[in-house]
Amino acid sequence: MTNQHGTTQGPAAARAAAAADTAAPASGFKEVLLSPGDCSGCGACTELAPDIVGWREGDERPFLVSDVAPDGVLTELMAFCPEGCFEGGDES
């Protein structure tokens, strides 16, 4: 099997790599939970954390680009969202 870096690896290494890809967020990161039901469309989240939160033209709500974020970024998202759309999940 060829990994993301273009090198070949055996079955055991492939299983270990797959398990690492589905593991809990890295230390200092938290799961991001988004409930955009009350979103006002201010766009603060996409400006604050464009690598975590995205917005497609024509959509009325944000979407998650990544479901994990550094703890500090998640804290800022929760603090700056006027409608309280963000919560933190599991911490690693």
Side-chain angles (χ1 to χ4, degrees), residues 36-57:
D38 293 328
C39 178
S40 64
C42 73
C45 56
T46 59
E47 290 184 30
L48 181 66
D51 53 333
I52 307 297
V53 186
W55 194 286
R56 287 185 197 98
E57 289 299 318

Side-chain angles (χ1 to χ4, degrees), residues 16-87:
D21 287 342
T22 59
S27 180
F29 284 72
K30 279 191 172 181
E31 179 181 20
V32 179
L33 303 174
L34 172 61
S35 300
D38 293 328
C39 178
S40 64
C42 73
C45 56
T46 59
E47 290 184 30
L48 181 66
D51 53 333
I52 307 297
V53 186
W55 194 286
R56 287 185 197 98
E57 289 299 318
D59 284 353
E60 297 178 12
R61 293 184 168 89
F63 68 93
L64 291 177
V65 174
S66 174
D67 61 352
V68 295
D71 191 32
V73 172
L74 179 58
T75 299
E76 288 182 348
L77 283 170
M78 292 188 302
F80 286 100
C81 178
E83 304 303 332
C85 296
F86 294 92
E87 294 182 37

